[in-house]
Amino acid sequence: MTRPMPETVPNIVAGQDCPAASGQTLDKLDPASGEVLCRAARSGAPDVDAAVAAARRAQAAWAATPAVQRGMLLHEVVLGMRRRSAELAAVVARETGKSPRDAQGETGGAIACGLFYAGEGQRLFGRTCQSGVPGKYAMTVRQPVGVAGLIIAANTPVANVAWKVFPALVCGNTAVLKAPEDTPGTAWLVGDIAREAGLPDGVLNIVQGYGPEAGQPLVEHPDVGVVSFTGSTAVGRMIAGKCAQRLARVSLELGGKNPLLVCDDADLDNAVRWVLASAFSNAGQRCASASRIIIFDAVYDRFRAMLLEATARLTVGPTDDDYYGPVINARQLENMLAAIARAEAQGARVLTGGQRLTGPAHARGFYLAPTLIEGADPGAEISQKELFGPIACLYRAAGFEQALALANASDYGLTACIHTRNFSRATEFTRRVEAGVAVVNAGTFGSEPHMPFGGVKQSGNGSREPGTEALDVYCELKDIYVNTDQADL
Ligand code: NAD
């Protein structure tokens, strides 16, 4: 039976809704209006202990369930998500302020991810290998790690849940998901759909709360065998340190400062369209957003004029007529405004935007005007620090080599894109750019759920999720040798 979301979004532990042991709650604000949207359990270490204990109790039976049957049960969860997709998308839209259409698109992406991993229950391939010994068989099989601790960001909340939960569970792990404090309802609703679909109690537990209070105890918990984290590089680095101390496996999907190159031979209309989408869609709150637009000198002035004209036509708000909505909370908005002010103080010029929108439709929401900046030094803070908002800087490059060098002049290395009609430039760029994802003639975002996503340098620790590569995050490999005795034949 479908139940309505409780007024205070609870944890789900062993299949039961429960408040934080302390009784405390946190306020979740509506980013479009600044009003309190709901409350959520403000969990701490005792709640994490209870969730991990529930996951541990459920783990042996879940691991003993054949992977094919695990996949079929996850398929039921996906069907539940599809049946309740309008409800899911409505919660995503309400919690993030993004338009209903964008929320539906994201929900569709989460469902596609779930379908992919449900099917993976029928594969979960190991390898059969050759042996150097007569009559000896050698193979590898995949086994679960145990309890997975999953921590995610709020930017695409239902997709982020799906990208972690489905691969973790199909591999036979049970999971504790620490929901983002900015999107508690989305995570709860997926958990509710999962139990309604018949996922055994304790297989997926959800803990609400703030990172340092509820996320950190999960990372430090000795019974959590694998931690998978999507969020900022600063928090990821800290999590890597904690996991290193107890030799727990950790997968880190971190930030980006992604370059998009516009060459002198590019289709400039197409490039404008993709710069807008990469820099501003989802209010720039994508790890894969483009925040550094590197333009060849020969077309710089023309491209800048075209981009400014197109940016001036964008509308901002929470409806399907708007290009993007608010940023997720007031703190993020203030960080962005302060970073823009510092960039100006250091000599950069704001070409458009740079301020909070304060008209009647935006007054109380967390809206930032689409912001384009030029003249920033490539080494300046605004060029190097991820802002996770609708802000991009323009840079000039004399030609391909200088543009590529600028693209690589970052501590991050998540995604990158080039706009060119020149095959050699496109090919060289994809080979030499320091990024986990390289794109030709489109945007810096748009990874598909069956493909491995992740970054180099400070954008991650080398793991890749989702795709079949995520199975390596959530599985132990076991070598099995079987020896036959020729005398017994
Ligand atoms: P954040 O690092 O502040 O928070 C992410 C999650 O970590 C939240 O659930 C938060 O509660 C939790 N957290 C915070 N402090 C913690 C702690 N001490 N211990 C354990 N958990 C803690 O990031 P954010 O600002 O919410 O999200 C934006 C960041 O996420 C950006 O850097 C963005 O690039 C990144 N991101 C990366 C990907 C990717 O796949 N590479 C995808 C989406 C977002």
Side-chain angles (χ1 to χ4, degrees):
M1 197 191 71
T2 299
R3 49 189 118 185
M5 190 176 307
E7 262 169 38
T8 298
V9 185
N11 297 330
I12 299 181
V13 176
Q16 301 301 312
D17 285 342
C18 45
S22 67
Q24 287 190 303
T25 60
L26 59 85
D27 286 346
K28 154 66 191 159
L29 304 189
D30 176 350
S33 70
E35 308 280 331
V36 175
L37 183 64
C38 65
R39 296 191 164 74
R42 183 171 169 179
S43 309
D47 305 292
V48 171
D49 286 346
V52 173
R56 249 196 109 177
R57 283 196 302 276
Q59 207 270 321
W62 182 242
T65 305
V68 174
Q69 287 179 33
R70 291 198 299 262
M72 284 179 176
L73 248 173
L74 293 177
H75 191 237
E76 291 300 318
V77 176
V78 179
L79 292 179
M81 288 172 69
R82 186 175 274 167
R83 192 171 55 75
R84 294 175 70 180
S85 62
E87 195 186 338
L88 257 178
V91 175
V92 169
R94 234 179 15 245
E95 291 196 323
T96 60
K98 67 181 72 174
S99 69
R101 188 183 48 227
D102 285 356
Q104 280 155 18
E106 186 196 319
T107 304
I111 289 169
C113 179
L115 281 176
F116 175 75
Y117 283 111
E120 199 51 43
Q122 291 166 308
R123 292 178 293 269
L124 272 192
F125 292 132
R127 286 192 298 159
T128 54
C129 305
Q130 303 303 313
S131 166
V133 178
K136 182 176 174 184
Y137 292 82
M139 68 198 90
T140 63
V141 293
R142 291 185 180 276
Q143 296 195 326
V145 178
V147 175
L150 311 175
I151 302 177
I152 54 173
N155 59 325
T156 47
V158 69
N160 291 0
V161 170
W163 279 37
K164 298 255 184 261
V165 165
F166 285 109
L169 298 191
V170 79
C171 292
N173 305 286
T174 52
V176 177
L177 171 74
K178 206 295 279 173
E181 55 271 36
D182 287 307
T183 51
T186 305
W188 179 87
L189 189 49
V190 176
D192 187 52
I193 290 170
R195 69 183 160 189
E196 186 187 49
L199 200 68
D201 290 349
V203 169
L204 173 60
N205 306 276
I206 295 176
V207 174
Q208 310 285 350
Y210 292 119
E213 296 173 359
Q216 196 157 323
L218 184 60
V219 169
E220 291 172 344
H221 204 293
D223 291 338
V224 172
V226 51
V227 173
S228 180
F229 172 77
T230 294
S232 62
T233 294
V235 174
R237 193 176 290 123
M238 192 274 294
I239 287 176
K242 302 264 178 218
C243 289
Q245 275 165 21
R246 59 184 189 86
L247 295 182
R249 186 181 305 189
V250 60
S251 170
L252 302 173
E253 301 284 349
L254 308 177
K257 192 77 187 172
N258 307 302
L260 189 153
L261 271 59
V262 181
C263 301
D264 52 2
D265 63 344
D267 173 343
L268 293 189
D269 289 317
N270 193 42
V272 165
R273 197 162 62 82
W274 280 109
V275 168
L276 294 182
S278 300
F280 299 141
S281 68
N282 209 44
Q285 299 170 115
R286 298 182 199 274
C287 53
S289 281
S291 48
R292 298 185 296 134
I293 315 302
I294 300 165
I295 307 156
F296 279 28
D297 249 338
V299 291
Y300 186 94
D301 291 337
R302 196 163 136 230
F303 186 76
R304 178 181 56 184
M306 291 168 70
L307 185 61
L308 281 171
E309 197 190 311
T311 303
R313 286 199 299 270
L314 300 182
T315 63
V316 180
T319 75
D320 281 344
D321 294 331
D322 297 307
Y323 197 74
Y324 69 82
V327 299
I328 195 72
N329 59 40
R331 178 177 47 83
Q332 297 274 33
L333 178 61
E334 278 151 23
N335 286 345
M336 290 169 207
L337 291 168
I340 295 166
R342 285 194 296 275
E344 280 189 286
Q346 290 166 9
R349 287 178 301 284
V350 173
L351 296 171
T352 184
Q355 83 283 353
R356 183 175 186 166
L357 292 171
T358 52
H362 302 108
R364 307 207 31 219
F366 311 133
Y367 290 103
L368 183 69
T371 299
L372 293 171
I373 293 173
E374 75 173 359
D377 187 273
E381 180 202 2
I382 193 93
S383 303
Q384 291 293 331
K385 193 172 158 228
E386 184 189 41
L387 293 175
F388 216 54
I391 304 164
C393 293
L394 311 188
Y395 305 87
R396 278 179 190 272
F400 180 78
E401 288 299 335
Q402 195 189 0
L404 182 64
L406 270 173
N408 286 338
S410 170
D411 290 340
Y412 292 107
L414 193 54
T415 70
C417 176
I418 187 167
H419 278 254
T420 180
R421 292 185 174 102
N422 179 319
F423 174 80
S424 302
R425 272 181 185 161
T427 308
E428 275 298 281
F429 177 79
T430 58
R431 192 173 69 80
R432 288 167 60 192
V433 74
E434 295 165 2
V437 178
V439 179
V440 178
N441 291 336
T444 47
F445 68 102
S447 282
E448 301 188 31
H450 56 285
M451 294 288 283
F453 182 79
V456 302
K457 300 199 278 189
Q458 299 290 298
S459 291
N461 67 339
S463 61
R464 292 290 181 269
E465 299 181 55
T468 47
E469 287 74 4
L471 306 177
D472 294 334
V473 170
Y474 296 105
C475 285
E476 299 284 6
L477 276 186
K478 181 181 279 178
D479 286 2
I480 297 183
Y481 295 108
V482 177
N483 290 283
T484 58
D485 188 340
Q486 300 301 302
D488 287 346
L489 297 178

